[in-house]
Amino acid sequence: KEDKKLLPETVTALVEIKNQTAGILVQSNGKIMEQLFKPYPEVEDKEGYEILLRQLGALTHMEVEKNAIPERLSLLEQYMVERTEELNISERWAQAQPNKSIQSMIGWKGAREPSYWDLHEQVHGPHAIVGGTSGSGKSEFLTTYLMGLAINFSPEDIGMLIIDWKGGGIAHTLSDLPHFMGAITNLDGAGTARALASINAELKKRQALFNTYGVNNINGYMKLYRERHHPREGVLYPREALPHLILVSDEFAELKENVPEFLTELTSVARIGRSLGVHLILATQKPDGVVNDQIDANSKSKVALKMSDENNSRALIKTVDAAHISTAGRGYLRVGESELYELFQSGYGGVAYTPGGAEEEIKDERIYAINELGQAELLYDPREEVVDQEKEKEEPESQLSAVIKSIKAVFEASDYQKPQQPWLPNLPEKIATPMVKVGNERRLKIPLGLLDIPSAQRQDVYNFDLDEHSHTVIFSSPGFGKSTTLQTLVMNLARQNTPEHLHFNLLDFGTNGLLPLKNLPHVADMVMLEEEEKLSKMLGRISSALVTRKALFKAEGVANLTQYESKTKEQLPILVNVLDAYDNLTPQDKRKDAIDELLMQVLREGQALGIYLVLTAGRYNGIRMNMMANIQTKLALFLNEDSDLGSIIGREKLEQVEVQGRGQVKLEQALSVQIYLPAQAENEAQLLEMLEHEIKLMDEAWTGVRPERIPMVGEHVDFEQFETFDKEKFYLGLNKSDAQPVTFELFKGQPLTLLSSNKKQTLFLGEFIAEQLADFEGDIIKIDFIGNLTDVPSSLAIGKEEITKQSVDVREALGALTISQKEEQRIVILNGLSQILAKLQVTAEAFIELLEETNENTQYILLDLFNNIGSPMNLMTKAIKENLQHILFAGDMQSQALVDLSMEERKRKFALQEMFYLNDESLNMLVLPRKGGGEDE
Ligand SMILES: Nc1ncnc2c1ncn2[C@@H]1O[C@H](COP(=O)(O)OP(=O)(O)OP(=O)(O)O)[C@@H](O)[C@H]1O
Ligand SMILES: [Mg+2]
């Protein structure tokens, strides 16, 4: 009797033949007859037989329907419509009762006889396994099934999640459906943990929601949800629809093999999914041994498309039938032991959508020539004509996309809500920072990136708050976004605060990563590792900022910036020291200890003082342990060494993704984050341009106070640099430490001593003096033993010869000059002081005495080579050291006794225009001006 059901409906009569003489006409035209007859009646008249056969021979056999199940079926044919509107989607959605059934048509089991499948847990569900060898139409079948769900149920009732091992496939096809809740397509490495966390979170969320509303399954929950517009008193109604989730994993066997952890998670879905309304459909080529007992026991439905062999067929549906299928898209649906076993042909959505008419018949317009041998030679083929290369060949729209389009349209025109997505798409690889605006208040909290929180099914802005996160280190291997992260951080802080609120010191030990930020009005200055002097000044400034603030707070009796500001009602700018590529400062670098010591001080004391350090490094070991211990926030971008990541994030570290700007931070848990790009741009070049432009505007717009630049003097200084060149003054040069001009006042009874390092510098000094005395109106007396002061103008010149030959005369002249009461000012220059005194037989003491008696109208300028004066053996040295102020000198600092110098300073080499200036015990390095700057040398 069972078998009768399987007969095609075109069978009109059923005959049972027991033997030659006994038969029963069981059924005719649908009526039960149970009429007995004799199948082979004995015929006496043998000729009558022959006539009978001849008469039958004239009949032509007319083929009715060979097989009730069509060979092929399109998606729309399946629903027996031509146009998508005829599907009446919105009515179907309105009438759906997913608490009772989630039935969907999967194809036809006979002519115009639909085959339905219902994964509702009380019908064919909750879970299913689908098998089919390659080319069997597995993915198409799943697509048709899911499309059926989407046609019949709104997104509030049904949602779909696709786990696609290698991407593409169904996830791609169906992503436009409003029912589509996401896809996990990247299951290498990091994707897995994320997907597992997301699925887990969805299960937990459902359980929690059921608890809140006092229901124990999805049907109860959705009943409440539907009743929310007609509430009863005292009942709490949910606002969020919870759809049945159909979790489809195509290529499950491969998934299991590559990501074994997944099986565990899916097994737990199989176990508890029933009440939670989560349905699993696991599709695979070879089902044999792929699923475990737990999943198998919960998978009441099995669908077998063409299977590769009888074993696989038997493993899935207990019969060998599926091994013998020869048509794509044809399959057996088996439910339970014997609940259902039927063959169907599923509808195919890939055919062209041609509403209101069959597809135009394509005529064969090819022309052949038939040759003598009867062979056809193609002469003309219209399909080979080059039509228009510009125009994309227009693909006719498929039924699938037409149906998806109308489902979308129905959804958009409706009031249905799109339920929250159980998992969000992977973090994008490039995200521009959201814009932030400057305010009246100082605000140190800025958006820095996008966090992925699969366990909470959220993606949130990663806000960086200098107050809270304090000192911060960012690690990455070369080229993965250290500098860019700093750029975003600095830009957003600068966008949100004025230079009154916030200053930056930029220390770039890397490859110019901070350069684009240099012109921000908030930036004091930028310094590179190789700029020794500037770096040391920058460090000095940071150090003195620490000292000054500490003293300031002490004076006010406060412990930190907050207290200071609330007590004094005065705001101090926050100081952010931004240090890129810190580990380029090698342990061999002689500056490292001093720099580390300062950084440690900032790390330990800075936060209370409003002084912060944000630095980057390429490797974990690049930063000393004691420094690491004082850095609150650690951000890891991609690192070649996985062990480094472990040291930074800890055991919870996530699998790394090799994407620029992608990293992880440890908040309550380790989370992955995509750091924002500092501006919206198409490419890197444009990004720089945008930054440059924006910074220029900021710079021009800011009229308030700015942090001071680090004063720097180059090796070369021009007289023109003394902008308001005052002819009355004698300029010594620019002080290298503060870049301020240093002047010497003539005629104050103080001689000026210049000790040069070599002849070349002596010549330069001659030029230097000549330039400054060019407009001097009094007498210049030049006693030039060395003979290289030719450029210096003079009213009286005494040379080497005269000094040697007429030493007595010269000595007397010198004495006379000193005591003369002449009102007019005059300058006396002695070039080659030590030799002049030796020739004149004047002791150092006597000469000093002579100078002390000098009246205010005489100005001595004393010159010599440093070697002649500075050496420890020299008697002059002591006298000069003790009695003269205003000494400019340069030379070999190793063997000199003029001043006490550090080891470092003793190794110093001097450029032509550089000289120390010793004045009242204070020692400064000056750069002396030169006409034309001296750049050409
Ligand atoms: N957050 C990000 N989002 C997208 N792309 C980024 C991001 N950060 C960096 N990149 C890309 O990576 C490139 C290298 O970045 P960056 O110069 O910041 O790396 P780095 O770690 O400082 O490199 P190096 O070690 O050479 O100094 C950038 O030019 C940019 O193309
Ligand atoms: Mg860099």
Side-chain angles (χ1 to χ4, degrees), residues 429-431 476-485 511 580 660-661 674-677 684:
E429 299 199 350
K430 279 191 198 314
I431 322 171
S476 93
S477 289
F480 279 95
K482 290 183 295 293
S483 306
T484 308
T485 306
T511 46
D580 195 15
Q660 290 162 329
Q674 178 71 27
I675 301 296
Y676 294 134
L677 287 166
E684 234 164 290

Side-chain angles (χ1 to χ4, degrees), residues 744-752 825-829 854-861:
F744 175 79
E745 281 205 63
L746 298 169
F747 304 104
K748 293 284 177 204
Q750 300 273 358
L752 175 67
Q825 292 183 326
R826 65 184 164 219
I827 291 171
V828 182
I829 303 174
T854 313
N855 68 44
E856 291 192 347
N857 284 332
T858 306
Q859 172 66 53
Y860 275 99
I861 296 177

Side-chain angles (χ1 to χ4, degrees), residues 810-933:
V810 176
R811 186 171 61 209
E812 274 167 13
L814 204 57
L817 271 177
T818 317
I819 51 170
S820 104
Q821 291 300 314
K822 212 173 167 194
E823 285 297 301
E824 214 180 303
Q825 292 183 326
R826 65 184 164 219
I827 291 171
V828 182
I829 303 174
L830 276 74
N831 188 23
L833 181 65
S834 54
Q835 275 148 309
I836 293 172
L837 295 186
K839 295 288 176 209
L840 302 184
Q841 297 182 326
V842 177
T843 62
E845 286 80 2
F847 179 62
I848 299 292
E849 254 168 59
L850 189 82
L851 292 182
E852 274 168 2
E853 284 165 22
T854 313
N855 68 44
E856 291 192 347
N857 284 332
T858 306
Q859 172 66 53
Y860 275 99
I861 296 177
L862 312 173
L863 292 127
D864 207 338
L865 281 165
F866 182 67
N867 279 351
N868 295 343
I869 303 283
S871 82
M873 296 296 132
N874 200 311
L875 289 173
M876 282 282 297
T877 309
K878 196 162 170 270
I880 287 182
K881 197 170 147 185
E882 283 168 10
N883 296 289
L884 295 185
Q885 291 158 344
H886 310 290
I887 308 171
L888 283 164
F889 62 99
D892 177 10
M893 291 296 120
Q894 298 275 22
S895 53
Q896 57 86 30
L898 194 62
V899 286
D900 290 333
L901 292 176
S902 69
M903 288 290 286
E904 279 310 312
E905 284 170 322
R906 281 180 177 276
K907 287 183 201 146
R908 176 171 247 295
K909 296 272 177 283
F910 294 80
L912 183 71
Q913 289 171 251
E914 285 178 341
M915 295 185 99
F916 271 132
Y917 177 40
L918 182 65
N919 169 28
D920 289 333
E921 303 292 308
S922 83
L923 183 68
N924 287 295
M925 173 63 69
L926 305 189
V927 180
L928 279 59
R930 186 176 189 189
K931 219 174 168 178

